[in-house]
Amino acid sequence: MARDPNIPDAFDVYTLVVLRRPADAPDLSEAELDALQARHLAYRADLRRRGILVVNGPFDRQSDESYRGMSIFACDPDEAARLSDDDPSVIAGRLAYDVMEWWVASDSLAFPKAGGPVGDRRSMPDD
């Protein structure tokens, strides 16, 4: 069977983590939330300084208010999950996460502030 011309020859595969607010998130006082948010942001900033977290940020307008933000990691999905487990907001139960690989046509995205490679170059497997 001929290759579909709409499928790129190569893909860059990125590890994404989507943060979401679980339905059973504990209620915390404003002071507790502020302190937890500060620890969450400090943890994420440390991952960025170490070159593990390439980009991240919160969502604003979205169809599902439980989604809180997204990150692209410069590691495999298992390591991204392990690191996400250590996020203070995840530990506190205020955030949960989903980890996935995101395949985009090669050279579609650039991360000029990344200190090294971000994704893996792959070809679509033959079925």
Side-chain angles (χ1 to χ4, degrees), residues 40-125:
H40 164 74
L41 293 175
Y43 180 74
R44 303 300 251 189
D46 180 59
L47 293 177
R48 274 195 320 276
R49 278 190 294 278
R50 292 168 43 200
I52 299 167
L53 183 58
V54 180
V55 293
N56 70 302
F59 294 132
D60 187 10
R61 297 182 341 191
Q62 68 267 12
S63 60
D64 183 337
E65 288 296 317
S66 70
Y67 289 112
R68 308 308 299 158
M70 187 177 86
S71 305
I72 296 178
F73 280 76
C75 60
D76 66 43
D78 291 338
E79 179 70 1
R82 188 190 68 71
L83 293 165
S84 295
D85 283 339
D86 290 340
D87 186 305
S89 291
V90 172
I91 292 169
R94 288 292 295 178
L95 291 176
Y97 62 87
D98 298 306
V99 179
M100 60 203 78
E101 287 187 334
W102 185 35
W103 291 53
V104 299
S106 61
D107 299 320
S108 294
L109 296 175
F111 301 99
K113 294 184 178 185
V118 176
D120 295 324
R121 181 71 45 98
R122 299 186 199 165
S123 296
M124 182 63 75

Side-chain angles (χ1 to χ4, degrees), residues 25-36:
D27 290 325
L28 301 174
S29 70
E30 284 298 316
E32 291 170 318
L33 287 172
D34 288 346
L36 181 60

